[in-house]
Amino acid sequence: MTDESGPWLVVGLGNPGREYAGNRHNVGFMVADLLAGRLGGKFGRHKRAVAEVAEGRLGFGGPKLVLVKPLTYMNLSGGPVVGLAQFHKIPPGRVIAVHDELDIPYGQLRVKCGGGEGGHNGLRSMSKSLGTKDYVRVRFGIGRPPGRQDPADYVLSDFSSAERKELEFLVDRAADVVESVITKGVEPTQNLFHGA
């Protein structure tokens, strides 16, 4: 049983560095940045983890959120995540990973708890480091690459100009999904957002 008033660890998955900032693979960082702005928090380098961290409360007297952007590159994200979960005494059931998802069409958001990683190296690293797959995932659909483009090249490329027209709205909606998971739970959030 988790403490209902305990903090949540919200992990935006991405790669550090300006050259990756607009990549599809960095949508988790984009959502984390927006959430930090909503909470009035500011990202700063953590003393004990290779990550940028921002903290704040969701609403007046609401739950504490620890927002994380690992700075280890995607395939090593689990180390900073487990370090911060242990530091803040946050169980895996209160960890939310926000990430890009190839198997969901662009513009769609999905939420699930547990399950496979779908080839996503950031999720694979988190699952290995946490010792479980039982954490929440907010999956931001980026769709499959066009033609025969290598998926690795696709996720490491910027959103198209057509996609960028909707990106700000979708990042905002993904932040709403994260807040809903925290305040309402996974299943009610699925009912609210999966049909939209």
Side-chain angles (χ1 to χ4, degrees):
M1 190 82 175
T2 60
D3 174 11
E4 289 302 312
S5 63
W8 287 79
L9 193 71
V10 179
V11 182
L13 289 174
N15 288 312
R18 241 183 284 170
E19 67 272 29
Y20 298 106
N23 289 180
R24 291 176 176 90
H25 224 20
N26 270 41
V27 76
F29 275 18
M30 296 173 197
V31 174
D33 286 337
L34 180 66
L35 283 166
R38 286 183 180 182
L39 299 176
K42 188 174 179 187
F43 276 100
R45 187 72 187 259
H46 197 271
K47 290 180 256 177
R48 297 189 185 179
V50 184
E52 287 189 347
V53 175
E55 297 181 18
R57 291 205 172 268
L58 193 56
F60 181 72
K64 178 180 176 183
L65 271 63
V66 179
L67 305 171
V68 181
K69 295 191 299 185
L71 299 177
T72 53
Y73 293 95
M74 191 68 78
N75 59 344
L76 298 174
S77 298
V81 170
V82 76
L84 287 163
Q86 290 170 348
F87 180 78
H88 290 280
K89 298 177 176 54
I90 301 173
R94 294 179 79 86
V95 173
I96 301 172
V98 183
H99 65 92
D100 58 303
E101 179 61 64
L102 283 164
D103 293 327
I104 297 174
Y106 181 75
Q108 293 185 19
L109 298 163
R110 295 287 181 264
V111 181
K112 73 175 185 175
C113 188
E117 290 97 5
H120 196 288
N121 289 333
L123 294 177
R124 187 177 296 128
S125 178
M126 281 184 60
S127 296
K128 183 177 179 187
S129 295
L130 289 168
T132 183
K133 295 179 182 185
D134 294 332
Y135 53 90
V136 178
R137 297 98 185 277
V138 173
R139 305 158 72 208
F140 189 107
I142 61 169
R144 300 296 303 178
R148 295 175 182 235
Q149 184 179 8
D150 181 2
D153 292 336
Y154 180 69
V155 300
L156 292 174
S157 62
D158 288 356
F159 286 98
S160 70
S161 57
E163 290 169 334
R164 282 194 300 269
K165 290 176 183 171
E166 291 182 87
L167 186 59
E168 188 177 333
F169 167 77
L170 294 169
V171 168
D172 190 67
R173 193 163 172 80
D176 292 345
V177 170
V178 171
E179 290 185 8
S180 178
V181 166
I182 292 165
T183 59
K184 296 176 174 64
V186 171
E187 194 173 325
T189 299
Q190 290 170 330
N191 293 336
L192 275 171
F193 289 93
H194 284 199

